[in-house]
Amino acid sequence: MSPEATFIGRIVAASTRHPLIVVLITLALTGAALVYTARNFALTADTSKLISIKLDWRQHELAFEKAFPQFENNTVVVIDGATPELAEYAEGKLAEALRAMPQLFHSVQRPQGGPFFDRNGILLLPMHDVEATARSLEQAEPMFRGLAADPSLRGVLYALAGVLQSVKKGERKLGDIERGLNALADTFERVLRGQPAWFSWQSLVTGQPADIRERRRVLLVQPVLDYTALEPGQAADDAIRTAARSLELDRAHGIRVRLTGLVPLSDEEFATLAQDWHLVLGAMVAALIGILWLAVRSVRVVIAILITTFLGLLLTAAVGLAAVGRFNLISVAFIPLFVGLGADFAIQFSVRSLAERLIRTSQRRALIATGMNIGPALALSAASIGAGFFAFFPTSYVGVAELGTIAGLGMVVAFVLSIVLLPALLMLMRPSGGGMEEVGFTALAPVDVFVHRRRRLVLGIAMVAAVISAALITQLHFDFDPLNLKSPKVQSMATLRALASDPNWTPNTIDVVAPSLAAAEPLAKRLEALPEVLRTVTINSFVPQQQPEKLALIHQAAAVLKPALDVTPKPAPTDQELQQALGMATALLDEVAGKGTDSAAASARRLGALTQRLLTGRIQVRVAAQDAIVIPLQVMLSQTRELLQAGPVTLQTLPPELVSDWVAKDGRARIQVLPRGNVDDNAALRRFADAILKVAPDATGRPISISFSGDTVVHAFLQAGLYSLVAITLLLALVLRRVRDVLLTLAPVALSGLLTFATCALLDLPMNFTNIIALPLLFGVGVAFNIYFVLAWRAGETDMLQSSLMRAVVFSAMTTATAFGALWLSTHPGTASMGRLLMISLGWELLVTLLVLPALLARPATKTQSISEPAQSSAEAAGVVAPN
């Protein structure tokens, strides 16, 4: 009789002698744990704290954030307008509204707008664009003269009338204004149909349709974050959307406002996880209860297991909180880890107790025998799995290090409750045994026979599978881009993908901080010479080139346009005045079109018919037509007045808010490096990052952070894997005291791991930041299963597949597989990938347990016992407990 069996047997004996006291003490401890958790609960959703700040690349990130704190945790507000004027209008209105809420926003920036860019932005354009813009403005002077004096639909119609009069006089051709006629007609037609309508004066002046970059504006918003909430930026995000709605910045008015950036991406990820939590949780609970019942065929035993697992979870939460101080987004995964492994301990004990009950005269004696026989295996499993979890503690992946600490402590809690609380509950509930005449799987006797007789064949196939799997593992890769784990359907991801297609707004930029402004320019030139770099941006990029030539063109246009623009506008027209203008325009359009058959005449007739309908329609229709024309007109006139005031730009005249984005308070200068081509895939991101780091080792940015964070995670798991392997090997060697037994315990785990990774490679299922967290659970389950079998084998068990142990292992694996396989149902790609990996791995572990492990443990049949006959109870074989 082993000392461990005696000690655990005594614990179970004491628990079953005073079961009510044990239950009451456990409930009291759980109540105290709940109080402690409630008073000290802390959860950080700050993903930047998941990796150690001691790493060099993290130090570079923190140094950049300290120098330029305005770029940390930003929300990017993307505003798309049906016209450039609408986008400009929406950007200004929304920025003004958000700046009025300092309690929710630290800063609100307009990278493309504001007084400086409104006035001097034209100087940043290439010379040929400045020439074309100045020429178009000068040619449009007659139009500006009338519109500036009367910026209303009435003014537009009178300006049109003036142009039509010149056509009548033969001073210009109708075809010259055909584009403008069609643009007005399209707008009026949408108004008359009751559809959203808008008009672009910029397109009319330039003669070119505006592309998406001209119709898009971006706000950079730094929200106030609440890291105690699962969605730290939700209040700020909601405020942005509410402000947009109140300002009527919506699709009905030709404007689309969307949010992306680090904050919305993180918040919407939690929203995606919560979206189908009821489906996933329901599937988990249903699978857990259903398979537990199949395992023990007793409602009372199922209730006892569930109570033990639930109370253990509450105790683990309190113990873990006391150990690490607060939970993070990864450490909360201790919940499924505890449920999976804690339930395994409870199932092992319960199934074995049912088997013992068939040969014992009382429930208590059966429970004591169970503790003496299965207790050492549970203790060794808990110690081994706990050592595996604690091996993550010294790694740089802080999130998983804290998870390992909590989960390791959870294994201690699960083991203690399985030999203290669970026997007490079973003693109080006195289950009948589920009416099972036998607990093992006698139906698997033919498999037992096959494995024993074909042992070499089974082991040979396993060896070949291991070699093939080892070769396939080279095809397995780690997807270190966290964006691939987010749902592509949520607004933040869809917006980010759309924004990334614009090279000016790609998120895959890298920042380099030069020691001074003087040092920034030569370093920027070295970086720009790299083939992976499209261009670089520094504070000097905002000082235009060829200023004298560009200013001369602008001043020339200003001399022509300023007299027309600097006038006092007329008051808004009354409806009667607007009707008069519509009637006049209708008559002129019909007259000019005449009986012409060309497209210009057809356009004039079409517009005339529409103005006639506006004239005779309801007043609300005319108001809608006026809004569609006037809002962009006012924006266009304002923009024109501003750009005509452009003046010389130097570093000294740049606005302070712009300078602070590129020059730190200590004089260090920021260089932004934009990638050449598409760098969305992992390989391209790493090439871009490596190229920049060779020139600037202290560079930082998304390509660098995700590359190095991926390396950190992989290294952490390799490091923890080595530590856990050493710790578990030493522990097994200390307890088992035979090298062969240690190898028999670890070899099936290694084979299951190889088969799992090979399958992932074949199915192109990469490892990622989410599913890699499942590896500790899979390792723990595999080690536990093998310990159970090796200790049973040492105790004399031969027909493994027919034993109660196999029943416990099968249903434990099924419980874990189906419960966590429910994660596969999640619409969140990362969570679903974890579910897939768990199902694949548990499937292989169960197959290895059913076939390979029995083959490893097979012994030749003795003369006194046929291998086809059921083995005696391992308790009897070990001589620990004599049957009564």
Side-chain angles (χ1 to χ4, degrees), residues 321-345:
L321 192 60
V324 301
R326 53 100 173 98
F327 298 119
N328 61 59
L329 299 179
I330 292 179
S331 66
V332 293
F334 83 90
I335 297 174
L337 290 178
F338 182 88
V339 171
L341 294 169
D344 172 64
F345 293 166

Side-chain angles (χ1 to χ4, degrees), residues 774-789:
L775 294 183
L777 170 64
L778 303 174
F779 182 72
V781 170
V783 169
F785 287 175
N786 295 331
I787 287 175
Y788 300 148
F789 277 99

Side-chain angles (χ1 to χ4, degrees), residues 259-280:
L259 307 184
T260 188
L262 180 62
V263 175
L265 283 167
S266 299
D267 288 350
E268 288 192 343
E269 182 167 21
F270 284 112
T272 303
L273 289 170
Q275 175 182 334
D276 44 16
W277 68 269
H278 55 283
L279 175 63
V280 175

Side-chain angles (χ1 to χ4, degrees), residues 137 139 274 329 523 557 590 767 773 812:
L137 290 173
Q139 292 174 351
L329 299 179
L523 179 56
D590 290 341
M767 303 303 296
I773 299 172
S812 176

Side-chain angles (χ1 to χ4, degrees), residues 455-470:
R455 178 174 180 267
R456 293 184 178 181
L457 174 64
V458 172
L459 295 180
I461 293 174
M463 182 65 68
V464 172
V467 172
I468 295 175
S469 298

